[in-house]
């Protein structure tokens, strides 16, 4: 049996086993209700609601404020009617306003928020109190839509194709919407149906949000607080067949090396493909692609990463973003997750062969095909399945010595699979689910890629149990991983920053050089009080075992850990004499390594194993004028740092203190500000950090918005890792010497956005991020003793070359004119180690301009210009004028793209 078939079988078995069906309870609602009427006459979408068909529909009115005063009657009257036929739902809303001249009509791009009056309707077709579809229309007829899931989360990447129109008159404004049934997943039935429903209105002038069914701020959840829409009858499922073919042309222009035989300037390219979306019955959808377009319109931001861990970037590719919420499986620790779609089609692992003068390597592995099925049954079972295959990628190399060109493999052919199941029960208040992932690589037989696992499998169950009318919840997950491959791959994983099995002073870990597989577990359990007029809180416990490795198809920067913490929050939402609302939160968390379990009754063992944690107090207030202030104070106790030496012994991390303060003005004004400062200081001279930023938003007219966010950061770090040297043994640190430096960093970034919206369907967006950053490695030093913060600063000397040998005169470290640093550990005059000096100045500019025209519903033309400039030198100090001038003359790369797609609804 081939490895593909064997592991696919294991993948399916691991996914289905934990998905035992649970009883589904039919909701019994006593919430607010409205009845839909079957359309009996024509409805012309002009926003006026003057057709006879609307007169026969029951009216939903008597809206309730959610803010500024929850529970009060809405200040202005709103009336909503719903019609339906065999193809669509029709929503008509009359929004009365005694001051129609104050109606907010800011124009923004589709799916963007702005300062405008809007009307919103949301449907829960399965009445499951967890999922729904939300449609928003502004007073300028700008559309936004979201898919609602897990009761309170929104997927803004979900895009529906629907129509709307608005009309403004002396009594206020009105809106008409036609939403095709093909945009919903629902159950067809001859019987009369009831759906969940809610209507929301925002009025900018009074900053009022009012709703038909109040979604209280004192209760977690959104869909579970919807009202009920009665009177629907859909005997046949809608036909859901969509095709979106596209064509794309691009031109890349850079500054290639004149001797590079692979460079062409400009580099022209073109491609075409199609995305298909097919309804499988009334509840499931198949997404498929032929020659998929995975191009990104907005570039990833520039990041200077001096840590041991990988940087996380958001997924932006359309195929993976759409319906992505079904594959959500979050792990402890911020952005960690069991499935990270950017692993599919990632940048290649391979590098050019030795001796190559020039090389040409693809930016990403080509995705030959991708398939996705998502949906939800009427019994509450959600399912998502994804499969993709990437081709074996090759690069080209030129060897000047032999004047020859050859090819080499940079990424093996790989297959990916993800399967997600989740069952709702208890009126949608609780869920139990499972997710499995599989990666199989077809590694070359020559062993050139044996540093990669051949197979990586992950599987987990997660749950959320709510009771007391969703006032309390117990939720969590338990996930396991298994990787298999050559011992070379397993050694690399064990030595990586998420494991450090080689750490010499660990009492729990050891590196196994003969291992060909590794298995681990990650679990978390939380008990949470979710409802309360004032008090809420939670407690949790978690663990990651040493063998947990998810980074082939997931993302995690957590090492093995024992974790625990708690949170308590007090809030007041009723306006008083000074504050409109305020809240205060205290939380603390702490992480220990498994070393503590070797002597579980010893306080010293737990102190030695304490590697992460803090005590935090945060508060926020909103004043009656809608200005706000946020403040936070954090204390991080003294603990151990197991990553500072990059796999070496523990280093003490001194206690530190941090203060954050930010404010915000009323964002309804033409000019609004959000300034913020952050200051952190560590004991024993371990370092300081000061950061100041301000976000400035300005809307000179309703069609234009400018956002500028300058940020200045000044930081000192007395323990910046440089390298590990084995040149001269040092027994106190188990043989190797660990070099660090006093680092002084300065960084100035300026994120800028300019949005011009000509019409609700035509917009121009500009994004730019200029950044200048410097790092001055002031003094180099050696770590002296494990579990301390003790260093020996190496005296700086002068570099000389005597009889062809490098030496440092008058010191133990020095730098030559070429930027090479030398170290003489034992002071015998002979250089023991050398490396490139670490001082740096980075000048970067990333930007793009996007013209977007939705020339018909669902069909769009993009004209895109992306520009990158980057320059790096080894000066170290910060000079604004010099670095900005260097940025303006830095080597530039420009990419121009034109993309046209056309939506067919068949």
């Amino acid at each position: 049996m081939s490895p593909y078939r064997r592991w696919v079988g294991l993948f399916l078995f691991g996914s289905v086993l934990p998905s035992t069906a649970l009883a589904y309870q039919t909701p019994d609602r006593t919430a607010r209700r409205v009845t839909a009427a079957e359309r009996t006459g024509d409805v012309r979408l002009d926003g006026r609601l003057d057709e006879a068909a609307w007169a026969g529909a029951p009216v939903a009115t008597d809206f309730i404020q959610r803010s500024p005063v929850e529970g009060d009657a809405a200040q202005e009257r709103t009336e909503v009617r719903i019609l339906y036929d065999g193809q669509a739902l029709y929503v008509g809303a009359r929004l009365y306003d005694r001051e129609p001249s104050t109606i907010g009509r800011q124009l923004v791009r589709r799916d963007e928020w702005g300062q405008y009056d809007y009307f919103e309707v949301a449907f829960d077709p399965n009445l499951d109190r967890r999922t729904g579809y939300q449609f928003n229309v502004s007073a300028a007829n700008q559309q936004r839509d979201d898919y609602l899931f897990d009761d309170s989360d929104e997927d803004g990447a979900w895009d529906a194709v629907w129509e709307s129109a608005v009309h403004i008159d002396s009594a206020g404004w009105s809106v008409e919407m036609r939403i095709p049934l093909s945009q919903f997943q629902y159950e067809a039935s001859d019987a009369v149906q009831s759906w969940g429903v809610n209507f929301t209105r925002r009025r900018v002038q009074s900053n009022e949000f009012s709703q038909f069914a109040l979604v209280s701020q004192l209760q977690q959840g959104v869909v579970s607080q919807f009202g009920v829409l009665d009177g629907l009858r859909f005997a046949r499922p809608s036909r859901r067949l969509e095709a979106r073919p596209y064509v794309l042309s691009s031109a890349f222009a850079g500054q290639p090396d004149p001797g590079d035989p692979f460079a062409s300037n400009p580099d022209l390219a073109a491609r075409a493909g199609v995305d298909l979306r097919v309804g499988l019955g009334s509840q499931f959808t198949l997404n498929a692609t032929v020659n998929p377009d995975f191009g990104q319109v907005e570039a990833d931001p520039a990041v200077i990463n001096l840590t041991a861990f990988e940087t996380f970037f958001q997924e932006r590719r359309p195929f993976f973003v759409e319906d992505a919420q079904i594959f959500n499986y979050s792990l402890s620790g911020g952005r960690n997750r069991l499935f990270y779609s950017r692993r599919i089609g990632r940048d290649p692992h391979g590098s050019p062969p030795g001796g190559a003068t020039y090389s040409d390597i693809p930016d990403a592995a080509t995705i030959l095909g991708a398939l996705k099925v998502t949906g939800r049954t009427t019994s509450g079972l959600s399912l998502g399945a994804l499969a993709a295959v990437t081709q074996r990628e090759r690069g080209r190399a030129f060897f000047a010595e032999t004047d020859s060109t050859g090819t080499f493999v940079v990424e093996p052919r790989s297959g990916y699979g993800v399967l997600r199941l989740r069952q709702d029960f208890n009126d949608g208040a609780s869920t139990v689910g499972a997710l499995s992932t599989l990666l199989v690589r077809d590694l070359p037989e020559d062993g050139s890629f044996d540093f990669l696992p051949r197979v990586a499998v992950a599987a987990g169950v997660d749950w959320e149990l709510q009771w007391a009318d969703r006032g309390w919840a117990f939720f969590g997950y338990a996930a396991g991983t298994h990787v298999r491959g050559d011992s070379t791959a397993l050694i690399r994983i064990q030595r990586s920053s998420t494991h450090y099995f080689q750490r010499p002073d660990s009492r729990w870990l050891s590196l196994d050089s003969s291992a060909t597989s590794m298995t681990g577990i990650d679990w978390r359990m939380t008990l949470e009080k979710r409802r309360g007029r004032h008090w809420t809180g939670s407690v949790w416990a978690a663990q990651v075992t040493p063998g947990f490795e998810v980074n082939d198809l997931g993302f995690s920067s957590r090492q093995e850990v024992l974790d625990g913490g708690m949170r308590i929050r007090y809030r007041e939402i009723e306006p008083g004499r000074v504050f409109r609302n305020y809240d205060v939160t205290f939380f603390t968390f702490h992480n220990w390594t498994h070393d503590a379990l070797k002597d579980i009754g010893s306080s010293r063992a737990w102190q030695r194993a304490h590697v992460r944690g803090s005590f935090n107090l945060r508060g926020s207030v909103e004043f009656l004028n809608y200005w706000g202030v946020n403040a936070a104070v954090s204390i991080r106790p003294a603990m151990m740092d197991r990553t500072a030496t990059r796999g070496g012994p523990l280093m003490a991390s001194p206690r530190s203190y941090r203060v954050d303060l930010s404010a915000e003005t009323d964002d309804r004004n033409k000019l609004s500000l959000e300034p913020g400062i952050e200051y952190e200081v560590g004991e024993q001279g371990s370092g300081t950090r000061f950061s100041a930023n301000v976000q400035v938003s300005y809307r000179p007219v309703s069609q234009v918005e400018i956002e500028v966010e300058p940020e200045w950061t000044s930081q000192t770090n007395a323990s910046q890792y440089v390298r590990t040297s084995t040149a001269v043994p040092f027994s106190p640190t188990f043989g190797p010497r660990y070099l660090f430096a006093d680092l002084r960093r300065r960084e100035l970034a300026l994120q800028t956005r300019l949005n011009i919206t000509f019409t609700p369907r035509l917009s121009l967006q500009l994004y730019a991020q200029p950044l200048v950053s410097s790092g001055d490695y002031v003094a180099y030093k050696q770590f002296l003793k494990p579990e301390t913060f003790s260093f020996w600063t190496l005296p700086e000397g002068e570099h000389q070359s005597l009889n062809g040998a490098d030496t440092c005169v008058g010191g133990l470290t020095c730098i030559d004119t070429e930027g090479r640093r030398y170290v003489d550990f034992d002071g015998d005059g002979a250089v023991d180690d050398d490396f490139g000096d670490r001082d740096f100045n980075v000048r970067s500019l990333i930007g793009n301009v996007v013209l977007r025209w939705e020339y018909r519903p669902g069909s769009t033309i993009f004209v895109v210009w992306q520009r990158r400039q980057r320059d790096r030198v080894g000066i170290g100090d910060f000079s604004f004028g010099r670095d900005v001038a260097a940025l303006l003359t830095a080597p530039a790369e420009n990419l121009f793209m034109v993309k046209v797609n056309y939506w067919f609804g068949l």
Side-chain angles (χ1 to χ4, degrees):
M1 180 183 293
S2 71
Y4 277 91
R5 293 182 179 179
R6 180 168 61 250
W7 286 103
V8 166
L10 176 62
F11 166 67
L12 295 175
F13 176 75
S15 301
V16 176
L17 183 62
S19 63
T20 305
L22 299 166
Y24 179 74
Q25 301 179 11
T26 302
D28 180 16
R29 304 275 186 102
T30 57
R32 300 199 66 190
R33 311 182 82 94
V34 64
T35 302
E38 188 169 5
R39 183 174 67 85
T40 57
D42 291 337
V43 173
R44 180 187 175 194
L45 239 62
D46 57 8
R48 295 178 183 272
L49 276 76
D50 53 4
E51 294 88 357
W54 291 115
V59 179
T61 188
D62 297 330
F63 277 43
I64 304 166
Q65 283 189 40
R66 187 173 191 266
S67 67
V69 183
E70 181 171 309
D72 280 9
Q75 299 172 14
E76 299 284 356
R77 181 174 176 81
T78 303
E79 298 177 350
V80 185
R81 296 171 171 84
I82 294 184
L83 303 172
Y84 71 94
D85 57 26
Q87 286 76 44
L89 285 172
Y90 300 82
V91 183
R94 182 58 166 155
L95 303 100
Y96 292 94
D97 197 315
R98 284 166 284 189
E99 299 179 84
S101 62
T102 65
I103 294 173
R105 284 172 271 186
Q106 182 191 0
L107 269 175
V108 297
R109 202 198 77 178
R110 190 186 197 276
D111 288 330
E112 297 287 344
W113 289 112
Q115 296 305 318
Y116 49 71
D117 283 43
Y118 69 70
F119 170 77
E120 183 176 272
V121 58
F123 297 101
D124 172 11
N126 295 299
L127 208 59
D128 58 34
R129 305 185 72 183
R130 292 195 67 88
T131 60
Y133 305 84
Q134 187 168 274
F135 304 88
N136 181 301
V137 180
S138 78
N141 199 30
Q142 178 260 340
Q143 295 181 350
R144 178 184 174 92
D145 41 39
D146 301 274
Y147 179 75
L148 307 177
F149 65 99
D150 289 348
D151 194 8
S152 57
D153 292 329
E154 296 182 0
D155 178 8
W158 178 75
D159 282 325
V161 179
W162 50 290
E163 300 173 85
S164 64
V166 301
H167 175 70
I168 298 177
D169 55 31
S170 60
W173 64 292
S174 55
V175 57
E176 289 180 309
M177 306 162 66
R178 181 183 184 275
I179 307 171
L181 295 177
S182 61
Q183 305 305 298
F184 301 100
Q185 293 178 351
Y186 65 92
E187 181 184 13
S189 172
D190 290 329
V192 177
Q193 299 182 27
S194 293
W195 289 13
V197 74
N198 206 4
F199 313 113
T200 301
R201 175 184 179 179
R202 189 206 180 185
R203 187 169 177 262
V204 169
Q205 173 65 15
S206 58
N207 211 16
E208 179 189 62
F209 293 82
S210 58
Q211 296 177 311
F212 174 66
L214 176 64
V215 178
S216 175
Q217 302 172 69
L218 301 177
Q219 177 177 337
Q220 186 164 316
V222 174
V223 183
S224 58
Q225 301 186 62
F226 280 8
V228 179
L229 176 63
D230 296 314
L232 299 171
R233 189 191 298 271
F234 301 122
R236 297 180 180 178
S238 64
R239 184 172 63 176
R240 295 183 294 120
L241 178 58
E242 301 176 7
R244 188 178 271 113
Y246 78 89
V247 293
L248 182 148
S249 62
S250 64
F252 175 83
Q255 296 181 3
D257 188 323
D260 188 347
F262 306 120
S264 58
N265 196 26
D267 186 5
L268 304 178
R271 63 186 300 167
V274 62
D275 295 338
L276 300 173
R277 187 176 176 90
V278 182
L280 305 177
S282 60
Q283 299 284 38
F284 288 87
T285 302
L286 169 68
N287 289 80
T289 63
V290 177
N291 195 23
D293 170 32
F294 294 124
Q296 293 180 209
V297 170
E298 186 163 308
D300 292 324
V303 176
I304 309 298
N305 186 353
L306 298 180
T307 72
F309 300 103
E310 175 185 9
T311 300
F312 178 91
F313 292 110
Q314 292 286 351
E315 178 63 85
R316 302 179 189 272
R317 299 172 295 178
F319 175 82
F320 293 110
V321 167
E322 188 173 344
D323 296 327
Q325 75 287 335
I326 185 61
F327 299 104
N328 283 353
Y329 193 111
S330 297
L331 303 172
S332 294
R335 293 173 167 177
N336 298 334
R337 57 199 61 195
L338 203 61
F339 170 56
Y340 180 42
S341 58
R342 285 189 68 140
R343 301 296 187 201
I344 303 176
R346 56 157 293 156
D347 54 308
H349 288 90
S351 56
T357 310
Y358 295 99
S359 63
D360 178 30
I361 298 177
D363 293 331
T366 302
I367 300 176
L368 297 175
L371 191 71
K372 180 166 57 177
V373 176
T374 58
R376 193 176 186 284
T377 69
T378 56
S379 63
L381 177 65
S382 298
L383 181 146
L386 184 151
V389 177
T390 58
Q391 74 176 14
R392 174 176 290 186
E393 289 290 349
R394 290 184 174 274
R396 296 181 295 169
F398 172 72
F399 302 88
E401 186 175 338
T402 59
D403 192 26
S404 62
T405 301
T407 63
F408 57 98
V409 176
V410 294
E411 185 70 14
R413 181 169 60 93
S414 303
Y416 306 82
V418 187
L419 183 61
R420 178 64 152 144
L421 301 170
R422 178 180 285 183
Q423 176 68 55
D424 301 349
F425 61 99
N426 190 25
D427 197 12
S430 301
T431 66
V432 173
L435 183 139
S436 286
T437 67
L438 170 69
L439 165 63
V440 179
R441 294 187 175 101
D442 184 14
L443 301 182
E445 295 298 329
D446 62 5
S448 57
F449 279 83
D450 282 353
F451 64 90
L452 294 177
R454 188 174 296 273
V455 174
V457 179
V461 296
D462 56 352
W463 67 89
E464 180 183 34
L465 308 177
Q466 296 187 92
W467 66 93
D469 198 14
R470 305 187 187 229
W472 286 84
F474 175 62
F475 58 94
Y477 67 85
T481 62
H482 178 80
V483 295
R484 182 176 295 275
D486 187 82
S487 60
T488 305
L490 271 296
I491 291 174
R492 182 183 64 85
I493 292 173
Q494 292 176 80
R495 297 182 64 89
S496 69
S497 61
T498 52
H499 296 286
Y500 287 148
F501 279 18
Q502 74 274 24
R503 211 179 75 222
D505 55 349
S506 174
R507 304 172 64 190
W508 191 268
L509 305 174
S510 61
L511 192 147
D512 183 355
S513 60
S514 64
T516 57
S517 67
M518 190 166 75
T519 303
I521 296 173
D522 181 354
W523 63 264
R524 180 184 177 96
M525 294 185 292
T526 302
L527 176 65
E528 183 172 71
K529 182 180 186 294
R530 290 183 166 175
R531 292 184 63 182
R533 182 167 184 80
H534 296 297
W535 294 98
T536 57
S538 61
V539 294
W540 65 86
Q543 179 188 19
V544 180
T545 66
F548 187 79
E549 171 54 46
V550 73
N551 285 305
D552 283 290
L553 196 47
F555 184 95
S556 179
S557 58
R558 271 166 78 89
Q559 298 170 286
E560 55 91 9
V561 73
L562 302 169
D563 182 6
M566 59 85 67
R567 174 186 62 85
I568 186 168
R569 178 187 185 192
Y570 180 89
R571 62 182 172 182
E572 176 60 74
I573 67 169
E574 184 175 339
R577 293 184 178 181
V578 179
F579 303 129
R580 188 170 297 280
N581 58 70
Y582 63 87
D583 71 76
V584 179
T585 301
F586 170 78
F587 71 94
T588 183
F589 74 95
H590 298 275
N591 292 172
W592 297 267
T593 70
H594 285 79
D595 284 356
L597 302 181
K598 285 292 187 179
D599 193 0
I600 196 169
S602 167
S603 60
R604 169 58 184 159
W606 284 94
Q607 181 182 4
R608 183 180 182 274
H610 192 198
V611 292
R612 194 163 180 259
S614 64
F615 300 92
N616 308 272
L617 182 65
R618 295 181 178 177
S620 64
V621 301
E622 185 178 52
F623 298 97
L624 295 178
N625 64 353
Y626 294 101
W627 287 38
V629 174
N630 307 283
V633 177
S634 301
I635 300 175
R636 192 176 63 85
M639 60 188 76
M640 295 297 169
D641 189 338
R642 56 179 165 169
T643 65
T645 56
R646 306 299 194 265
L650 292 172
M651 176 189 291
S653 179
R655 182 184 291 111
S656 66
Y657 310 88
R658 173 172 165 171
V659 177
D660 295 88
L661 183 65
S662 64
E664 53 194 23
T665 64
D666 188 344
D667 58 6
R668 294 175 298 164
N669 298 329
K670 281 189 174 183
L671 176 65
S672 62
L673 306 174
E674 293 185 27
I677 60 172
E678 170 194 320
Y679 180 70
E680 183 174 6
V681 60
E683 294 184 349
Q684 299 184 44
S686 57
T688 62
R689 185 178 189 275
F690 173 78
S691 177
N693 71 290
V694 58
Q695 180 176 312
V696 182
S697 298
Y698 180 57
R699 295 185 299 276
V701 294
S702 64
Q703 295 92 342
V704 177
E705 182 169 27
I706 305 168
E707 291 185 1
V708 179
E709 186 175 0
E711 181 173 11
W712 166 255
T713 302
S714 176
Q715 180 179 3
T716 62
N717 182 0
S719 57
Q720 176 61 49
Y721 174 80
V722 176
R723 71 187 272 113
T724 300
S725 176
T726 58
V728 179
F730 187 68
S731 58
T733 52
F734 304 95
R737 296 176 185 254
Y738 298 93
L739 282 179
F740 290 82
D742 289 320
L743 173 64
R744 178 185 173 94
R745 287 198 61 190
R746 301 290 183 268
E747 184 171 290
L748 179 64
L750 180 64
Q751 290 201 67
T752 304
R753 295 181 185 271
L754 170 63
N755 300 320
I756 304 175
T757 308
F758 304 102
T759 72
R761 298 185 182 275
L762 178 63
S763 64
L764 178 69
Q765 291 184 295
L766 178 147
Y767 168 78
Q769 187 208 23
L771 177 146
V772 289
S773 179
S774 70
D776 185 6
Y777 286 69
V778 179
Y780 288 83
K781 52 192 181 181
Q782 179 186 326
F783 181 47
L784 289 180
K785 184 180 179 181
E787 302 180 34
T788 71
F789 197 69
S790 301
F791 300 93
W792 169 39
T793 300
L794 302 175
E796 187 74 22
E798 181 181 347
H799 173 263
Q800 291 186 9
S801 181
L802 301 176
N803 299 320
D806 296 294
T807 186
C808 293
V809 178
L812 299 181
T813 182
C814 56
I815 185 172
D816 66 15
T817 57
E818 302 297 323
R820 196 75 185 167
R821 179 160 290 277
Y822 303 90
V823 180
D824 176 10
F825 288 113
D826 51 18
D828 64 357
V831 168
D832 299 313
D833 200 359
D834 64 284
F835 51 91
D837 192 67
R838 296 297 193 259
D839 288 351
F840 66 84
N841 289 76
V842 173
R843 300 90 173 230
S844 169
L845 173 61
I846 295 176
N848 58 272
V849 179
V850 180
L851 179 68
R852 182 185 186 275
W853 177 32
E854 189 175 358
Y855 60 95
R856 65 185 300 271
S859 304
T860 311
I861 296 176
F862 294 95
V863 180
V864 181
W865 171 34
Q866 290 186 355
R867 182 177 177 88
R868 292 176 179 268
Q869 287 181 260
R870 184 178 175 87
D871 176 54
R872 177 168 181 150
V873 294
I875 303 173
D877 67 319
F878 185 91
S879 172
F880 177 78
R882 178 199 64 204
D883 290 336
V884 170
L887 171 60
L888 297 177
T889 59
E893 296 178 346
N894 292 281
L895 176 64
F896 300 91
M897 293 187 294
V898 177
K899 177 185 173 184
V900 181
N901 62 39
Y902 190 90
W903 180 83
F904 292 94
L906 306 176

